[in-house]
């Protein structure tokens, strides 16, 4: 299987300014932040990084860490936009800023796959703060947004209001993703596309435990049952695990062997503004008709 790279290019409200020595400097609207980045093993373009804040990781294997600020940053967050979607960015305890900018090429790709369909039925699993959901809703899709975190779904709904999309056809579901998909299979539901961005480890609203290596194959199998020969795509992204794009590509290849179309796999990356180099961020696999 040939691997491909989907590259996130800078846009008005986001850019990877520089990277190196295990860190990256990014702009989020009018603010700049430094965050750890183990994949940036090279030297940075500049030794002088001026930032509003920096996330310093903890020393234990479990992660952790905290933000340190050189200038005031709104604790409640600040608005950013991607195309026709407006959303709130903020410095979270989990080192990210409340959305994943490397997903921008995925949002564009999904829009391309459903172009020409009248109100395609799309499900976003582990949908977090809903930027991907709203990106598809803005293009005319009827969305089902699923996340186990009440706080994340509440933020997603707030982002819908900020985008002027509060009246769009979106079902906001607080639930364990695997359990919800299994129920959708029993109901005989069908979708035109599914986006899933599962964590390495997580807990559902009722204490359900999710372990990626153990639970992903069953979830993919159930997602396959929600798609048919007229469906357009399934897109899977995987972060922060010792897993190969070839491995998840083969998982999809076997799961979708009975459907027409194509299975592809590769890496997500973000293009650095300083030199144009590509910083890898995640692996992905997808089926498309």
């Amino acid at each position: 299987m040939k691997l491909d790279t989907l590259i996130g290019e800078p846009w008005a409200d986001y850019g990877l300014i520089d990277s190196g020595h295990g860190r990256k400097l990014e702009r989020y609207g009018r603010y700049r932040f430094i965050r750890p980045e183990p994949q940036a093993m090279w030297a940075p373009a500049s030794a002088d990084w001026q930032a509003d804040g920096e996330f310093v990781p903890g020393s234990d294997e479990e992660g952790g860490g905290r933000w340190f600020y050189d200038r005031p940053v709104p604790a409640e967050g600040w608005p950013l936009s991607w195309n026709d979607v407006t959303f709130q960015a903020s410095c979270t305890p989990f080192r990210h800023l409340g959305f994943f900018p490397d997903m921008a090429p995925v949002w564009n790709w999904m829009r391309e796959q459903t172009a020409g369909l009248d109100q395609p039925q799309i499900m976003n699993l582990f949908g977090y703060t809903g930027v991907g959901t709203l990106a598809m809703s803005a293009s005319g899709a009827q969305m089902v947004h699923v996340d186990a975190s009440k706080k994340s779904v509440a933020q997603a709904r707030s982002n819908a209001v900020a985008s002027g999309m509060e009246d769009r056809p979106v079902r906001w579901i607080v639930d364990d993703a695997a359990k919800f998909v299994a129920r959708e299979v029993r109901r005989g539901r069908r979708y035109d596309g599914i986006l899933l961005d599962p964590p390495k480890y997580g807990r559902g609203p009722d204490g359900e435990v999710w372990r990626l290596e153990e639970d992903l194959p069953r979830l993919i199998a159930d997602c396959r049952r929600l798609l048919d020969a007229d469906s357009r795509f399934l897109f899977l992204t995987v972060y922060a695990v010792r897993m190969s794009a070839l491995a998840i590509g083969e998982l999809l290849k076997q799961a979708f062997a009975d459907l027409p179309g194509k299975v592809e796999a590769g890496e997500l990356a973000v293009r650095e503004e300083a030199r144009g180099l590509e910083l890898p961020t995640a692996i992905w696999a997808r089926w498309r008709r």
Side-chain angles (χ1 to χ4, degrees):
M1 182 181 298
K2 182 181 177 181
L3 300 183
D4 193 11
T5 303
L6 293 178
I7 303 170
E9 303 289 352
W11 75 83
D13 274 353
Y14 173 79
L16 172 64
I17 300 170
D18 197 0
S19 63
H21 293 164
R23 302 190 303 163
K24 57 186 175 183
L25 173 65
E26 300 165 292
R27 56 177 178 83
Y28 289 82
R30 65 184 183 276
Y31 299 103
R32 293 185 173 199
F33 299 99
I34 298 170
R35 296 192 292 157
E37 181 48 74
Q39 304 247 47
M41 296 181 284
W42 45 79
S46 171
D48 183 24
W49 283 6
Q50 299 294 322
D52 297 282
E54 178 174 2
F55 187 91
V56 178
S59 58
D60 58 85
E61 293 183 357
E62 296 300 318
R66 58 170 293 191
W67 288 96
F68 294 87
Y69 300 100
D70 289 331
R71 289 182 285 271
V73 174
E76 70 279 8
W78 61 99
L80 299 180
S81 294
W82 178 83
N83 287 359
D84 31 19
V85 180
T86 297
F87 53 94
Q88 196 85 343
S90 62
C91 297
T92 75
F94 312 105
R95 84 177 57 192
H96 53 76
L97 277 292
F99 77 107
F100 300 103
D102 56 339
M103 288 293 291
V106 180
W107 305 331
N108 280 323
W109 182 84
M110 292 190 300
R111 286 181 163 191
E112 292 170 1
Q113 304 312 303
T114 56
L117 290 183
D118 182 26
Q119 294 189 318
Q121 308 292 310
I122 308 296
M123 179 159 58
N124 186 3
L125 295 171
F126 311 96
Y128 192 41
T129 57
V131 182
T133 295
L134 297 174
M136 292 303 294
S137 181
S139 68
Q142 293 192 356
M143 297 298 302
V144 175
H145 175 102
V146 184
D147 198 282
S149 167
K150 290 182 180 179
K151 184 177 180 180
S152 293
V153 174
Q155 182 61 59
R157 297 184 75 133
S158 294
N159 288 336
V161 173
S163 299
M165 299 186 200
E166 62 268 34
D167 295 328
R168 296 292 180 94
V170 180
R171 292 174 60 201
W172 303 104
I173 308 293
V174 178
D175 202 349
D176 175 78
K179 284 188 173 181
F180 179 79
V181 169
R183 287 198 300 273
E184 291 289 88
V185 170
R186 293 194 294 271
R187 293 168 183 145
R189 297 287 172 81
R190 176 205 170 271
Y191 287 86
D192 291 295
I194 298 175
L195 170 64
L196 60 160
D197 183 20
K200 179 179 180 181
Y201 176 86
R203 288 189 177 273
D206 296 320
E208 303 92 340
V209 176
W210 165 269
R211 292 183 176 87
L212 184 75
E213 292 87 349
E214 299 174 12
D215 298 323
L216 182 61
R218 181 180 298 176
L219 178 59
I220 292 297
D222 281 345
C223 286
R224 159 63 191 88
R225 295 183 180 98
L226 299 177
L227 302 168
D228 60 27
D230 292 323
S231 299
R232 296 301 178 94
F233 72 85
L234 179 140
F235 201 105
L236 165 69
T237 58
V238 175
Y239 290 79
V241 295
R242 295 175 181 175
M243 191 179 290
S244 165
L246 292 173
I248 62 172
E250 184 60 32
L251 175 64
L252 260 62
K253 187 176 180 181
Q254 292 186 15
F256 285 82
D258 62 327
L259 285 188
K262 188 175 184 180
V263 171
E264 300 160 311
E267 294 193 6
L268 289 182
V270 177
R271 191 180 307 282
E272 183 195 273
E273 293 177 325
R275 295 163 289 187
L277 59 78
E278 300 166 7
L279 176 67
T281 60
I283 58 175
W284 58 265
R286 67 190 182 195
W287 166 80
R288 59 185 172 100
R289 198 183 73 169

